[in-house]
Amino acid sequence: MLLYNSQISGNCYKVRLLLAHLGIDYERREVDVADRSNRPELLGGLNPSLRVPTLVLDDGRALGESGAILWFFGEGSRFVPADAYERAQVLQWMFFEQYDHEPAIAVARFWLAYSGRPPEAFADRLPERTAAGYRALDALERHLDGRGWLVGSGMTLADIALYGYTHVAHEGGFELEPYPSIRAWLQRVAAEPGHVPMAA
């Protein structure tokens, strides 16, 4: 099994984190997140969006989008609840991550830490992304207040999906000190057996 991966991508990290928890072996091929000039040749026949992560299964079938890959491997594991309503809640938080959380926090992080361009280049767009990121963090904090996990009584795909970019939000200029429930939750996720850091 081959994962087209970027080590700094939170979307790729989510996949690597789940595969680590499940003990699934795979190979990696690193893809540059800034220089996309070779994406059509590299991923054109595998993923119509030309994005990473893209996974090629042992039988040659390809799968893109981090949420789809998480669901493919997570289904039937402890990370997807048996209860239909709880499964829908997991999906709710995964959709929230991709629609509200990632487009703000991941984008600001890329601009400031990995684009290779000065912050001034994004001065007209960064305040809006920052405000959107804090709205997403506010929602996450409210939900985690008094809860150990996003859904149910244990870690699910929702926690894996949202951990990916939340734990590196500071690289995008986001301050997590005002979010005690998020900080406690990040520690719980990192303490789970089988956890691997983003650099692994």
Side-chain angles (χ1 to χ4, degrees), residues 3 11-12 45 120 187:
L3 176 67
N11 286 320
C12 293
E120 295 76 28
Q187 291 177 351

Side-chain angles (χ1 to χ4, degrees), residues 39 41 82 105 137 140:
R39 293 287 182 93
E41 294 78 20
I105 292 174
L137 291 171
L140 191 58

Side-chain angles (χ1 to χ4, degrees), residues 12-193:
C12 293
Y13 173 51
K14 299 169 206 171
V15 173
R16 298 197 312 271
L17 181 55
L18 177 62
L19 294 178
H21 277 295
L22 295 175
I24 296 174
D25 293 326
Y26 62 97
E27 296 178 25
R28 300 183 200 181
R29 184 171 299 171
E30 286 300 308
V31 178
D32 194 316
V33 292
D35 178 8
R36 300 182 176 221
S37 59
N38 70 335
R39 293 287 182 93
E41 294 78 20
L42 190 65
L43 299 176
L46 303 173
N47 184 342
S49 68
L50 305 179
R51 285 197 294 262
V52 291
T54 295
L55 189 79
V56 181
L57 301 170
D58 288 335
D59 62 9
R61 291 179 298 167
L63 192 58
E65 301 298 331
S66 59
I69 298 170
L70 290 181
W71 198 263
F72 180 81
F73 287 100
E75 202 168 21
S77 76
R78 66 184 179 96
F79 299 109
V80 175
D83 178 75
Y85 178 70
E86 287 194 345
R87 285 199 306 277
Q89 286 184 308
V90 169
L91 287 170
Q92 169 189 301
W93 283 105
M94 291 174 72
F95 296 153
F96 164 83
E97 191 271 338
Q98 286 287 283
Y99 188 77
D100 291 303
H101 183 278
E102 192 265 2
I105 292 174
V107 168
R109 173 180 176 260
F110 177 75
W111 285 348
L112 295 178
Y114 296 103
S115 71
R117 300 172 66 191
E120 295 76 28
F122 310 103
D124 58 335
R125 294 173 288 167
L126 187 58
E128 191 276 333
R129 292 295 85 203
T130 299
Y134 277 119
R135 285 195 299 273
L137 291 171
D138 289 345
L140 191 58
E141 176 72 13
R142 286 193 303 271
H143 183 74
L144 285 169
D145 185 19
R147 289 183 170 90
W149 304 98
L150 285 167
V151 179
S153 58
M155 189 166 76
T156 67
L157 295 183
D159 300 287
I160 290 173
L162 275 153
Y163 181 84
Y165 280 112
T166 304
H167 87 290
V168 290
H170 62 279
E171 294 183 352
F174 296 94
E175 175 56 64
L176 294 185
E177 184 60 31
Y179 299 102
S181 297
I182 289 177
R183 288 186 284 108
W185 165 76
L186 290 174
Q187 291 177 351
R188 279 191 293 276
V189 173
E192 280 287 292

